[in-house]
């Protein structure tokens, strides 16, 4: 680093290496004159407060674009020290070249978050900020962040918005709730009501935050998904495992209906039932931006799965096609949604799907027989997961034999079903007929007394 080695562009210091205060101080000094190094990963190392501050200043004076630093007990004091070092490097935050900052799992709470905001809220370069797995954050943390930003920026406007270059924000497992969502929304939505759409399209990860619930989902719908002046900025939204029930799903559906920006939505592992699924299905009939939707581990049941499928099915005549189908969604995860064989049959009639996950939907051998002709003649399906569906050896064998003339499928998952002699022989025949098709299956069990050559 000190010699500005042109070959040293990425540097990772593994946790098993010795990297403490002395090493951090030496690296900080070396970084001041380095113009080559672009990425530094040194998470997992215990570094003291003074050394973290010096390291922050060294990073601020370098050309680094990516940084991952600190340990799982770093806390607010450590985050504040590193952020203060960055600011000490230059009074003009725009001179700091960091575009990717990883401060996940640092035991950060309100003071640390405010320090991060003070260092990066005006940055024209920061596009990715990961502060996930900081479970000591709370709604109050985001209140303090908003207050600090508004004080520093003297009330943001369309030409002076917080985190203007931010494209990806990871807040997974941070204990954020409905109030925090509203505070975060007030920060991110600044500038959206102007004639110029100032904010970059944003990927927002809020997964594993059970405090969000239905109230938080309603706040997201109202504050982040509804367009301002015909504009919206959320490109991707992950709300998996957020304790969302039917009411929250209905609130989200109301905004998704006319949203023109959202491309990815993950509502997996929530508590959404049939009525929530029906509302989502109705909204998908109108939405034309969403290309990937994940609803795994929700209790949709057959009726809910039918509602989702109906939004993707083509209408009965050409005059009502546009109002009765969604042909934009190509990736759909319906694992463990309780749709059964009838639900799977309906979903496989959706001709635009390229990737479909039907893991653990109790299809059984009968269900495999029902969907076999649909899969065999599907015009676009490339990746299909049918794992964990309690199909018999004979049922899997018959299904595999039906695929010999399908030239579209590239990946097929059948793990978690019974793979015996019949299915094994069918796999051999399929491999000869379709050598490019990858079939993911459970590894064969080796008998204890069987020798392995």
């Amino acid at each position: 680093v000190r010699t500005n080695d042109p070959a040293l562009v990425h540097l990772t210091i593994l946790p098993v290496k010795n990297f403490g205060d002395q090493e951090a101080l030496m690296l900080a000094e070396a970084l001041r004159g380095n113009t080559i190094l672009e990425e530094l990963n040194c998470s997992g190392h215990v570094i003291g407060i003074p050394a973290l501050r010096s390291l922050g200043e060294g990073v601020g004076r370098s050309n680094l674009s990516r940084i991952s630093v600190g340990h799982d007990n770093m806390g607010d004091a450590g985050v504040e020290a590193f952020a203060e070092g960055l600011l000490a490097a230059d009074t003009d935050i725009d001179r700091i070249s960091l575009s990717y900052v990883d401060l996940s799992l640092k035991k950060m709470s309100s003071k640390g978050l405010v320090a991060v905001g003070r260092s990066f809220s005006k940055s024209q370069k920061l596009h990715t900020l990961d502060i996930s797995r900081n479970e000591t954050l709370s709604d109050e943390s985001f209140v303090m962040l908003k207050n600090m930003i508004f004080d520093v920026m003297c009330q943001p406007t369309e030409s002076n918005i917080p985190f203007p270059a931010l494209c990806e924000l990871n807040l997974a497992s941070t204990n954020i709730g409905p109030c925090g969502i509203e505070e975060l929304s007030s920060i991110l939505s600044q500038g959206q009501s102007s004639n110029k759409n100032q904010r970059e399209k944003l990927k927002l990860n809020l997964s594993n935050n059970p405090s969000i619930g239905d109230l938080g989902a309603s706040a997201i719908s109202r504050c982040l998904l509804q367009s301002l002046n015909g504009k919206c900025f959320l490109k991707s939204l992950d709300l998996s495992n957020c304790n969302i029930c039917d009411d929250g799903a209905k609130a989200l559906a109301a905004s998704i209906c006319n949203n023109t920006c959202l491309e990815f939505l993950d509502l997996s592992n929530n508590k959404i039932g049939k009525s929530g699924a029906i509302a989502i299905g109705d909204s998908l009939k109108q939405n034309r931006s969403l290309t990937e939707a994940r609803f795994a581990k929700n209790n949709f049941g057959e009726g809910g799965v039918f509602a989702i499928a109906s939004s993707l099915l083509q209408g009965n005549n050409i005059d009502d096609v546009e109002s009765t189908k969604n042909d934009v969604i190509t990736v759909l995860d319906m694992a463990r949604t309780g749709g059964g064989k009838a639900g799977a049959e309906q979903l496989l009639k959706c001709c635009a799907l390229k990737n479909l996950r039907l893991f653990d939907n109790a299809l059984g051998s009968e269900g495999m027989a029902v969907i076999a002709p649909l899969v065999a003649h599907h015009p676009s399906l490339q990746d299909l997961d049918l794992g964990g569906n309690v199909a018999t050896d004979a049922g899997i064998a018959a299904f595999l034999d039906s695929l010999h003339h399908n030239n579209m499928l590239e990946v097929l998952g059948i793990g978690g079903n019974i793979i015996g002699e019949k299915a094994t022989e069918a796999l051999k025949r399929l491999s000869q007929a379709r050598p490019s098709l990858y079939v993911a299956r459970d590894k064969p069990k080796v008998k204890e007394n069987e020798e392995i050559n």
Side-chain angles (χ1 to χ4, degrees):
V1 176
R2 183 178 290 111
T3 59
N4 224 12
D5 186 340
L8 185 58
V9 179
H10 307 286
L11 174 61
T12 297
I13 305 174
L14 298 174
V16 295
K17 300 294 184 179
N18 291 323
F19 186 74
D21 288 6
Q22 183 177 354
E23 291 80 12
L25 289 170
M26 292 172 62
L27 180 58
E29 185 63 30
L31 283 171
R32 293 170 184 260
N34 186 283
T35 59
I36 302 297
L37 192 64
E38 297 177 2
E39 180 176 356
L40 172 61
N41 299 308
C42 56
S43 282
H45 297 280
V46 178
I47 305 172
I49 302 302
L52 277 169
R53 191 182 189 283
S54 294
L55 185 58
E57 187 169 353
V59 169
R61 295 184 186 279
S62 72
N63 284 338
L64 276 175
S65 60
R66 297 172 65 95
I67 182 72
S68 176
V69 65
H71 55 97
D72 59 6
N73 202 31
M74 185 175 179
D76 284 342
V79 174
E80 286 181 300
F82 182 75
E84 288 169 2
L86 287 173
L87 291 176
D90 201 303
T91 54
D92 184 3
I93 192 65
D94 288 337
R95 294 287 297 277
I96 297 176
S97 58
L98 288 175
S99 61
Y100 180 102
V101 175
D102 182 356
L103 288 170
S104 61
L105 195 61
K106 299 297 180 284
K107 218 169 187 177
M108 180 198 317
S109 59
S110 300
K111 290 183 179 179
L113 182 61
V114 169
V116 171
R118 186 174 289 113
S119 295
F120 293 106
S121 59
K122 291 184 179 181
S123 174
Q124 298 287 339
K125 297 183 177 68
L126 183 71
H127 64 66
T128 300
L129 177 60
D130 186 350
I131 52 176
S132 63
R133 297 188 292 168
N134 284 292
E135 296 181 355
T136 43
L137 291 172
S138 65
D139 283 354
E140 180 61 26
S141 304
F142 293 92
V143 173
M144 293 175 63
L145 176 64
K146 187 196 76 170
N147 291 340
M148 182 280 298
I149 288 176
F150 278 45
D151 287 344
V152 169
M153 291 190 158
C154 301
Q155 192 66 31
T157 63
E158 60 267 18
S159 60
N160 182 29
I161 63 175
F163 304 102
L166 194 63
C167 296
E168 187 167 351
L169 177 60
N170 192 344
L171 295 173
S173 304
T174 53
N175 204 29
I176 190 172
C179 179
I181 292 294
E182 293 197 7
E183 299 300 313
L184 176 67
S185 300
S186 67
I187 296 170
L188 297 177
S189 60
Q190 290 299 320
Q192 294 306 112
S193 60
S194 67
N195 290 329
K196 292 184 178 180
N197 196 351
Q198 298 289 329
R199 179 165 297 288
E200 297 288 339
K201 303 302 182 185
L202 180 68
K203 295 180 179 180
L204 179 60
N205 187 344
L206 291 168
S207 63
N208 300 314
N209 282 298
S211 296
I212 287 178
D214 285 348
L215 290 177
S218 296
I220 291 168
S221 173
R222 183 177 64 255
C223 303
L224 288 174
L225 288 177
Q226 289 184 3
S227 62
L228 297 172
N229 196 27
K231 298 168 184 175
C232 42
F233 61 89
L234 273 191
K235 178 181 181 180
S236 171
L237 178 60
D238 189 340
L239 287 171
S240 57
N241 194 27
C242 285
N243 198 30
I244 297 172
C245 302
D246 285 337
D247 287 345
K250 291 174 183 177
L252 292 168
S255 295
I256 291 171
C257 180
N258 296 314
N259 187 286
T260 59
C261 182
L262 194 66
E263 298 176 8
F264 173 92
L265 175 66
D266 193 341
L267 288 172
S268 300
N269 201 18
N270 281 292
K271 301 176 181 178
I272 304 171
K274 179 180 176 180
S275 64
I278 290 174
I280 293 171
D282 288 340
S283 72
L284 294 182
K285 291 178 181 179
Q286 304 299 323
N287 182 278
R288 290 294 179 269
S289 63
L290 205 62
T291 61
E292 182 170 351
R294 299 188 176 273
F295 302 121
K297 296 185 182 179
N298 282 288
N299 191 26
F300 285 2
E302 186 177 292
V305 173
F306 266 56
I308 300 298
S310 70
S311 70
L312 310 180
L313 286 170
Q314 185 168 319
N316 293 325
N317 60 73
I318 195 169
D319 295 329
D320 65 358
V321 166
E322 290 303 317
S323 63
T324 57
K325 75 165 185 174
N326 178 315
D327 56 3
V328 181
I329 292 179
T330 58
V331 179
L332 183 64
D333 187 351
M334 300 294 285
R336 294 184 183 175
T337 50
K341 60 178 181 291
E345 181 182 16
Q346 290 300 109
L347 289 168
L348 283 163
K349 292 178 181 177
C350 304
C351 296
L353 290 177
K354 294 181 179 180
N355 185 315
L356 177 61
R357 191 164 184 251
L358 292 172
F359 180 87
D360 194 9
N361 271 288
L363 300 184
S365 297
E366 185 179 343
M368 291 291 184
V370 169
I371 67 172
L374 294 169
V375 177
H377 301 289
H378 200 287
S380 59
L381 196 62
Q382 299 172 3
D383 192 328
L384 176 63
D385 186 356
L386 294 173
N389 275 293
V390 296
T392 65
D393 183 31
I396 291 294
F399 177 78
L400 294 173
D401 283 336
S402 72
L403 300 179
H404 288 199
H405 300 292
N406 177 306
N407 294 316
M408 184 61 64
L409 202 61
E410 298 174 357
V411 179
L412 173 66
I414 57 172
N417 295 290
I418 299 176
I419 309 296
E421 293 183 4
K422 293 180 179 179
T424 300
E425 290 301 315
L427 278 168
K428 292 178 181 178
R429 292 191 293 272
L430 181 60
S431 178
Q432 293 177 346
R434 286 289 322 279
S436 63
L437 174 60
Y438 174 74
V439 181
R441 51 168 292 190
D442 298 330
K443 291 182 179 179
K445 293 182 179 180
V446 179
K447 296 180 181 180
E448 293 183 3
N449 60 350
E450 183 177 341
E451 293 185 2
I452 302 177
N453 295 323

